[in-house]
Each structure stands twice: as structure tokens, then as C-alpha cells.
């Protein structure tokens, strides 16, 4: 489709196009369209090959944003599309106003495709007229590009007769919420806000009238382990056990010799005020602190 020409095609199972007739686009005949290819009058596009095979852009990413003079809010994008066969990425974009003029002519069920990224040919020497431009299909990228003016002597098809349509890259119509949906969302939000307010207020009052009981739940032996761990040789410790109720820390060494070596290293620390009580039994050392009642 171009601003003044609407070409109507039938599509075979293989995707091959056969021209049925040419019309002037009007709201009446455009409203029956289910799949609409728009020419280069309406869209821009580009392709690129990215070395990082793990690259996966978001569905709304503008991977060619640096090539557009329009701000993102004034542009409608297709999702980035990856051609598995050629390993090229492609994306099309168009001014929002241009696409709105197309959507006004069509029904809500019409799916709009950029012509350059959805048309292929049996060979990459075939060219066709797309709006004001001549396009040429490339097997290397799997997409189409603008035919350079230096190749103006190449035969150019005036229609898409004999070309192939593959519905890969499309423009998404943004659906606006109707008044009922907006009203329902507003009511739901107010109901949730009221519930949260009442619940929070009630919890605050209850907390003020009946303060919660605070229990001493500090694992004091953790600080002991931090003070004594530098005296434990690498690979000498088998496991550590903490007992909050008894205020004890049990160090189980790989051997009794390692347990005695650790005891000898910390004997000076045991002379400090408030040092934990030490017990040793074969390969086990128990350090105990006084638990407040």
C-alpha cells in the first residue's frame, strides 16, 4: 500500500503473491483488509549483524535509535527480528502520525507489516517498486535494501507479483483502554488504598496500646567465633555448632592434636575479663558465655 495505490493480492500456501487488482485506498475497501503491507512511503528500516550471539533485545528496544531523527514517543516500532538463517537483526520504525493515517482506514483486526522486511524473492537480483523507492531483496541478510541509483538500469517490477510474503515483522497497534476499564481500574485502586490505610492505621493503634514483647535473640557466640577464628589453622576445623540457649560454641577439630594446638594459642585470650569458659575433650573444644536471664 502507498498513499494513492492499494494493490490486492492472493497468497498461496508457499507465501507466493498473485496480484488480483489495484484500487485507490478508501475506508470502505481498506476496512476488509486483514494483512496490510505498507510501502517505503510509510516506514524506515535497517538490518545489522551482531557478533554477540547471546544478544537478546527487549521487545520494545530501538536498536537503530541513533539513525532516527524522531524522538521515541513520536515513533512506532516493530519488535527487533532475528533471521536464524542469515543471523541478521532487522527492525522497522515509522512516524506515529504516518501510521495513524493507515490505521484510520483499516479495522482493528488489520495487521500492518513493513514491506521491506517481509517480502522475499527467489533470487537476489529481483527488484520492485516500493512507493518512491526501488527495493532489492538480499539473500545475504534475508531482508530488502534500497537499490542504489548506480544500478538504475536493473529491471524493476512495478508490483509484488511472484514475490513471497513472510509475516515476520509487524507494527503493533496500541489499544487504548475504554472508559469502563479505566473506571474499573480506578475503583480497584481506591478499594486497595482504603484497605491498606485502614489496616495500617489499625496496626499502628494496636502497637501503641499493646507494645510487642521484645526477646533477646542475639547469637552472642558469633562474636566469639569472629575473635577466635584467626587462631584456627586452615583445614584443622571439621565443624562448628552454636547453642543459643546454653550460650555455647562447639568447635570440632579433625584431631585431638589440632584441638590442643588451638587451646594453647588462645590461652592468653582466656585471661581477659568476660572471656568465655573453655572446655576441651579430645578433638572438641567448647566455649561458653554467660547467658542473661
Amino acid at each position: 500500500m502507498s498513499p494513492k495505490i492499494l494493490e490486492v493480492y492472493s497468497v498461496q500456501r508457499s507465501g507466493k503473491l498473485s496480484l488480483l487488482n489495484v484500487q485507490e485506498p478508501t475506508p470502505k475497501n481498506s476496512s476488509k483488509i486483514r494483512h496490510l503491507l505498507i510501502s517505503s512511503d510509510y516506514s524506515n528500516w535497517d538490518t545489522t549483524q551482531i557478533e554477540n550471539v547471546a544478544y537478546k533485545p527487549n521487545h520494545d528496544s530501538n536498536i537503530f535509535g541513533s539513525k532516527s531523527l524522531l524522538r521515541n514517543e513520536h515513533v512506532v516500532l516493530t519488535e527487533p527480528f532475528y533471521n536464524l538463517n542469515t543471523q541478521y537483526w532487522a527492525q522497522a520504525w515509522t512516524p506515529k502520525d504516518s501510521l495513524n493515517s493507515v490505521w484510520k482506514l483499516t479495522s482493528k483486526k488489520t495487521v500492518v507489516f513493513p514491506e521491506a522486511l517481509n517480502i522475499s524473492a527467489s533470487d537476489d537480483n529481483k527488484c520492485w517498486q516500493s512507493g518512491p523507492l526501488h527495493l532489492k531483496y538480499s539473500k545475504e541478510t534475508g531482508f530488502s535494501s534500497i537499490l542504489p541509483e548506480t544500478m538504475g538500469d536493473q529491471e524493476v517490477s512495478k508490483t509484488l507479483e511472484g514475490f513471497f510474503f513472510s509475516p515476520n515483522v509487524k507494527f503493533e497497534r496500541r489499544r487504548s483502554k475504554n472508559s469502563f476499564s479505566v473506571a474499573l481500574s480506578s475503583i480497584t485502586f481506591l478499594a486497595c488504598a482504603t484497605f491498606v490505610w485502614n489496616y495500617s492505621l489499625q496496626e499502628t493503634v494496636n502497637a501503641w496500646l499493646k507494645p510487642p514483647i521484645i526477646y533477646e535473640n542475639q547469637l552472642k557466640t558469633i562474636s566469639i567465633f569472629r575473635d577466635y577464628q584467626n587462631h584456627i589453622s586452615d583445614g584443622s576445623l571439621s565443624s562448628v555448632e552454636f547453642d543459643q540457649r546454653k550460650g555455647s560454641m562447639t568447635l570440632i577439630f579433625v584431631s585431638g592434636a589440632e584441638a590442643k594446638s588451638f587451646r594453647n594459642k588462645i590461652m592468653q585470650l582466656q585471661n581477659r575479663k568476660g572471656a568465655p569458659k573453655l572446655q576441651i575433650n579430645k578433638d572438641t573444644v567448647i566455649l561458653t558465655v554467660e547467658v542473661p536471664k
Side-chain angles (χ1 to χ4, degrees):
M1 176 182 178
S2 62
K4 296 182 180 180
I5 299 176
L6 177 64
E7 298 172 359
V8 182
Y9 293 87
S10 64
V11 185
Q12 301 177 11
R13 289 188 177 181
S14 62
K16 191 173 184 178
L17 297 171
S18 299
L19 181 64
L20 296 179
N21 58 67
V22 178
Q23 306 173 4
E24 181 181 350
T26 63
K28 183 177 181 180
N29 56 30
S30 299
S31 63
K32 301 177 182 179
I33 299 172
R34 292 294 175 265
H35 295 83
L36 179 66
L37 284 162
I38 55 175
S39 69
S40 59
D41 288 282
Y42 294 100
S43 68
N44 299 290
W45 71 95
D46 205 348
T47 60
T48 187
Q49 197 169 34
I50 298 174
E51 293 183 2
N52 183 5
V53 295
Y55 174 71
K56 290 184 179 180
N58 294 329
H59 70 92
D60 57 350
S61 295
N62 188 353
I63 62 177
F64 299 107
S66 61
K67 297 188 177 184
S68 175
L69 298 178
L70 299 174
R71 299 175 65 179
N72 284 342
E73 58 266 28
H74 299 151
V75 171
V76 181
L77 300 165
T78 66
E79 288 190 19
F81 178 77
Y82 183 64
N83 189 315
L84 290 173
N85 296 324
T86 65
Q87 299 181 352
Y88 269 79
W89 284 92
Q91 187 175 36
W93 63 95
T94 183
K96 188 177 295 184
D97 292 340
S98 296
L99 201 54
N100 282 339
S101 66
V102 174
W103 276 330
K104 286 179 181 179
L105 293 173
T106 59
S107 72
K108 293 182 179 180
K109 296 181 180 180
T110 303
V111 183
V112 179
F113 300 89
E115 188 176 278
L117 299 183
N118 294 280
I119 293 296
S120 60
S122 56
D123 62 74
D124 53 9
N125 290 320
K126 296 190 71 173
C127 305
W128 76 95
Q129 181 81 35
S130 177
L133 301 177
H134 294 167
L135 302 187
K136 179 181 180 182
Y137 174 70
S138 169
K139 283 188 176 182
E140 178 185 356
T141 65
F143 304 104
S144 304
S145 59
I146 299 174
L147 183 69
E149 293 183 3
T150 55
M151 301 177 64
D153 58 342
Q154 190 162 345
E155 184 178 353
V156 177
S157 174
K158 297 299 181 182
T159 68
L160 293 174
E161 175 77 34
F163 287 82
F164 294 86
F165 170 56
S166 301
N168 297 320
V169 186
K170 62 184 178 180
F171 288 106
E172 294 286 353
R173 184 195 296 265
R174 295 182 180 178
R175 298 179 180 178
S176 58
K177 295 183 179 180
N178 57 36
S179 56
F180 175 77
S181 299
V182 174
L184 183 61
S185 300
S186 301
I187 292 171
T188 302
F189 172 77
L190 289 174
C192 293
T194 303
F195 172 78
V196 172
W197 171 258
N198 289 339
Y199 180 78
S200 300
L201 183 61
Q202 182 180 359
E203 288 293 303
T204 302
V205 173
N206 290 341
W208 181 70
L209 294 175
K210 298 179 180 179
I213 300 174
I214 301 176
Y215 295 93
E216 173 60 44
N217 197 33
Q218 183 179 5
L219 194 61
K220 293 183 176 296
T221 46
I222 287 289
S223 60
I224 300 174
F225 186 72
R226 182 178 62 247
D227 295 338
Y228 284 72
Q229 63 180 345
N230 291 333
H231 301 282
I232 301 174
S233 302
D234 292 342
S236 64
L237 193 62
S238 174
S239 63
V240 181
E241 298 175 0
F242 298 95
D243 190 320
Q244 169 70 357
R245 184 174 59 83
K246 295 180 179 180
S248 65
M249 176 180 68
T250 303
L251 305 175
I252 303 175
F253 291 84
V254 296
S255 66
E258 292 290 353
K260 292 179 181 179
S261 175
F262 170 72
R263 181 196 62 184
N264 295 336
K265 290 179 182 179
I266 66 169
M267 287 305 296
Q268 292 183 350
L269 298 177
Q270 293 302 106
N271 296 328
R272 296 184 306 179
K273 185 178 180 180
K277 181 181 178 182
L278 184 148
Q279 292 177 284
I280 183 170
N281 182 17
K282 296 182 180 181
D283 60 352
T284 302
V285 176
I286 301 175
L287 296 168
T288 306
V289 295
E290 185 179 350
V291 179
K293 301 299 182 180

